[in-house]
Every structure is written in C-alpha cells, then in structure tokens.
C-alpha cells in the first residue's frame, strides 16, 4: 500500500514530465543526448528514444526497471549518487559503466540533475554521453 505522500510525489513528477516532453527537456539536455528519469525510489519513469538505442532496451523494458538494474551497486555507491546529497539546481558528472542489452557494459559520462518541486525532491534526470565528450 502506497501513501498519499508517495502518490502526490509521483503525480508531481508526472506533471514535470508532461510539461517538458514537448520541449524534449532542452533546458537539461539536447536532441543528441540519451537520457532517462527516475523517481525517488529509483524506478525509471521516462526514457527517450536515444537512450533505448544506446542501451539496447525497449522503452517498455526500461520502464519496468530500477536504477540498480542498470548500474552495479558498487558504481552507485562509489559516486554517492542519485539518493545521497541531493542539492537543488546542482549538476554532477562522472564516468561510469552501465549495463546494456544483452548483458554487456558500456562506459558513459553520466550527468545527473535532481528534480524538485516546491522544495520537495521528486526524482532525478540522468543524461548519458560518450565518455570523451566535453
């Protein structure tokens, strides 16, 4: 059973996605970037077409995944990302490996940005780039 608070957070995150999807999230990314969005529990709630192509998963498959399905737990903990020290309006970038279909790893430059609404953390916007990109 989920709480009203979790439902409200989920609804606010969906509102954020719906209100930015027409702009294709240009403020945070561009048309050349693979990206996805996770909620505060680590569930993938949005994925763009480039992310599907880069990782080899369908959007249906990715929307059934959690962040821990894509990254080794040691990688998540090493960078202390996604759920720790979420500071509003802060971009963080580092190189890491991500699991791609079928069972291989790919090096990416990962940039993440916490999503807030009225001071409440709702989720994380995650951009995947080539590790050599600037």
């Amino acid at each position: 059973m989920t709480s009203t608070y979790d439902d409200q957070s989920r609804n606010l995150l969906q509102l954020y996605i719906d209100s930015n999807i027409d702009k294709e999230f240009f403020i945070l990314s561009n048309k050349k970037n693979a990206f996805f969005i996770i909620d505060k529990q680590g569930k993938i709630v949005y994925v763009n077409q480039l992310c599907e192509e880069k990782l080899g998963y369908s959007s249906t498959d990715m929307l059934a995944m959690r962040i821990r399905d894509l990254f080794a737990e040691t990688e998540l903990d090493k960078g202390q990302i996604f759920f720790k020290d979420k500071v509003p309006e802060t971009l963080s970038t580092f190189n890491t490996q991500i699991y791609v279909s079928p069972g291989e790893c790919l090096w990416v430059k990962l940039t993440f940005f916490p999503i807030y609404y009225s001071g409440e953390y709702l989720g994380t916007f995650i951009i995947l780039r080539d590790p050599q990109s600037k």
Side-chain angles (χ1 to χ4, degrees):
M1 187 165 135
T2 61
S3 71
T4 304
Y5 178 77
D6 289 340
D7 290 340
Q8 181 181 0
S9 292
R10 231 181 330 273
N11 290 339
L12 288 172
L13 184 57
Q14 189 59 51
L15 178 63
Y16 170 83
I17 292 168
D18 293 343
S19 61
N20 286 286
I21 200 165
D22 290 341
K23 298 175 271 190
E24 294 185 352
F25 302 91
F26 287 144
I27 294 171
L28 302 174
S29 185
N30 64 43
K31 288 184 179 183
K32 298 176 187 171
N33 295 141
F35 67 86
F36 59 97
I37 297 173
I38 61 170
D39 65 15
K40 62 185 177 182
Q41 286 79 33
K43 183 180 181 321
I44 297 173
V45 294
Y46 180 83
V47 58
N48 75 344
Q49 173 103 20
L50 288 172
C51 193
E52 293 176 57
E53 293 168 11
K54 186 174 195 89
L55 302 183
Y57 299 107
S58 72
S59 61
T60 304
D61 289 341
M62 286 197 72
L63 292 174
M65 298 173 116
R66 302 185 67 74
I67 194 70
R68 300 244 184 244
D69 296 327
L70 292 175
F71 296 92
E73 202 162 313
T74 54
E75 286 297 307
L76 291 176
D77 294 339
K78 181 170 64 175
Q80 298 181 9
I81 60 166
F82 303 117
F83 303 110
K84 186 172 181 178
D85 301 326
K86 299 170 295 291
V87 179
E89 300 180 13
T90 301
L91 287 173
S92 299
T93 300
F94 60 94
N95 290 340
T96 189
Q97 287 187 316
I98 188 167
Y99 296 130
V100 295
S101 182
E104 298 176 13
C105 288
L106 174 71
W107 278 100
V108 294
K109 178 182 283 185
L110 184 145
T111 300
F112 74 96
F113 182 86
I115 300 168
Y116 278 83
Y117 179 78
S118 295
E120 179 187 345
Y121 170 66
L122 301 177
T124 305
F125 190 95
I126 301 166
I127 303 167
L128 306 174
R129 295 184 178 101
D130 180 45
Q132 282 73 39
S133 68
K134 292 187 176 190

